[in-house]
Amino acid sequence: MPLESGSKWRLVLSALLISAVILELDAQEQGVTPGRTPKPSKPKLGKSTKKGPRAVTTKPKTKATPAAEAHNLLTQVLNRGKFKKVGESISVQTGDTLELRCRGKPVQWSVPPYLEEDDDGRLRIVQHERYGTLTLVNSTGADTGEYTCYPMYCEDTDCRKEYNKAVKVFVFFPDPQELFVPSSDYYEVIQLRTNWPTVLPCQVTSPEAKVTLHREYPPVEVAVDGMEISFNVKKGFTINRPRPHHAGALYCVASLGNLRQSSTKYMLIYVNYPMAPPAPVIQASSSSVVVGENLRVGCTVMGEQDVVVEFTWEYPGQQIGRPLYTQESISPVGGGAARQQSQSVLLVDEVRDVDQGTYTCTAQNLQGAKSVSTTIKVVPKTKPKKP
């Protein structure tokens, strides 16, 4: 009996142990530690509880402007191998050396007209493996102007300038003795064209100089309002919409400190420049003319007032030396805008067989030329019938 009771207790203990092991394994599978209350799971910040594409937030990149990118290609070489990015303009004292470096393989340079004509051996341009250099020694005020670097696009040995990638810098060379860029001309003739901006290139060597515009006769200072006439220290004065009253002799005056100087004189001649080439219309008195009768072929142009139109003719009689007779006239046309009619009439008296053919009128003004034609048929004279 005692043995049977001990066996029973051993069986009960074994069953309890096996149950405990099973419960522990189930708890581990469910992520629960036996004897502890499970905590509700919290999603971690920044991570989604559901699988899927992750949203990535990127900071907006600051994009450089085309002007800034362009000037990154061009630098000024200073003393001791230092480099300086250039802006729209820089100043270099006369006598000092200007050295510019432009990235590109290869590049080409353009310089102010004075240096293109004669640099006296002071200008040196070298192409290195990854960049080109421009070096100007013994600089003078006359070297003031625009310096441009053109990257080149090459296919084998054929290269061309990439004008849209050109980098420009305006270089002033302040000269204590010369406020204006020197010129060999005492005066310069400039044509004023209607509605075409006209530049008076009185270029100063220093951006600090104060510049005014003057008329020689009557001797007065010309008002510069920024609209009708404007000033740019890198270009000079611009007459934005020339009119007849702008014509005459003008000059610029620059002052800096105690120094005051006058520029070259500019002789401004006003020309009423047309907006477009002429549009002639040709018309004959008859498209069929009997031998012995007279022929009139007219060529007419409607255009702006005071615009000169020149007419030229081609006609069949030229082949035998028949002289040209024309009548030309100009007459105003009524209406709101100031317009005029210009006309040339070709006269052919006592038409002959040789006058048959094509008559061409060409009208030309300062903007261009245009031709129009018409064909004339010559009919034999009818003989009177006998009674």
Side-chain angles (χ1 to χ4, degrees), residues 58-356:
T58 57
K59 293 183 179 180
K61 294 182 179 180
T62 303
K63 189 175 181 180
T65 61
E69 290 179 355
H71 283 287
N72 286 339
L73 300 175
L74 187 64
T75 55
Q76 181 184 4
V77 182
L78 305 176
N79 294 332
R80 299 178 183 177
K82 294 182 179 180
F83 300 91
K84 178 183 177 182
K85 293 179 182 179
V86 300
E88 292 184 358
S89 64
I90 59 175
S91 291
V92 177
Q93 289 299 318
T94 51
D96 288 354
T97 296
L98 169 68
E99 185 174 352
L100 299 174
R101 176 181 288 192
C102 183
R103 283 192 301 169
K105 180 185 179 181
V107 299
Q108 276 195 8
W109 298 85
S110 70
V111 296
Y114 175 79
L115 285 173
E116 288 182 351
E117 295 171 2
D118 185 12
D119 59 27
D120 298 325
R122 299 180 298 115
L123 180 66
R124 183 169 178 249
I125 293 175
V126 178
Q127 179 64 49
H128 299 274
E129 184 178 356
R130 297 180 180 273
Y131 61 89
T133 58
L134 179 149
T135 306
L136 177 65
V137 299
N138 300 327
S139 59
T140 69
D143 301 325
T144 296
E146 193 171 71
Y147 292 73
T148 306
C149 169
Y150 297 96
M152 303 292 288
Y153 176 77
C154 296
E155 292 181 353
D156 296 330
T157 58
D158 181 26
C159 295
R160 63 178 182 271
K161 294 179 181 177
E162 293 189 277
Y163 289 93
N164 60 328
K165 295 182 179 179
V167 194
K168 301 178 181 180
V169 60
F170 196 96
V171 185
F172 292 96
F173 292 92
D175 189 330
Q177 304 299 324
E178 293 285 350
L179 295 181
F180 288 103
V181 174
S183 173
S184 58
D185 298 325
Y186 177 71
Y187 68 91
E188 181 179 343
V189 177
I190 296 179
Q191 189 179 86
L192 297 174
R193 300 180 178 183
T194 310
N195 299 321
W196 284 58
T198 301
V199 176
L200 279 62
C202 43
Q203 177 60 61
V204 289
T205 61
S206 171
E208 306 298 326
K210 180 183 178 182
V211 189
T212 53
L213 182 62
H214 298 258
R215 183 175 293 277
E216 188 173 42
Y217 182 81
V220 293
E221 181 177 339
V222 178
V224 179
D225 59 3
M227 298 181 66
E228 182 178 352
I229 301 178
S230 57
F231 177 73
N232 185 320
V233 72
K234 295 184 289 185
K235 293 172 58 178
F237 289 96
T238 300
I239 303 176
N240 295 299
R241 297 191 64 185
R243 292 293 181 264
H245 68 269
H246 292 129
L250 279 73
Y251 62 96
C252 305
V253 174
S255 56
L256 183 62
N258 297 324
L259 187 60
R260 180 182 170 91
Q261 292 180 340
S262 297
S263 71
T264 294
K265 291 182 181 179
Y266 301 102
M267 308 299 294
L268 306 184
I269 300 174
Y270 180 78
V271 177
N272 200 346
Y273 210 80
M275 298 294 291
V281 176
I282 193 169
Q283 186 174 11
S285 56
S286 176
S287 60
S288 180
V289 186
V290 177
V291 172
E293 293 183 350
N294 296 332
L295 172 66
R296 303 287 183 271
V297 183
C299 187
T300 305
V301 171
M302 302 292 292
E304 298 108 322
Q305 195 172 22
D306 299 327
V307 171
V308 177
V309 179
E310 294 183 354
F311 296 95
T312 55
W313 288 92
E314 295 178 13
Y315 54 100
Q318 281 178 308
Q319 300 176 5
I320 62 168
R322 197 173 193 16
L324 175 68
Y325 295 102
T326 59
Q327 290 180 345
E328 297 190 356
S329 63
I330 299 175
S331 57
V333 177
R339 297 179 66 79
Q340 70 183 20
Q341 173 182 287
S342 303
Q343 186 177 54
S344 176
V345 180
L346 175 65
L347 309 174
V348 183
D349 294 334
E350 298 182 356
V351 169
R352 293 176 283 175
D353 292 337
V354 293
D355 296 317
Q356 177 172 291

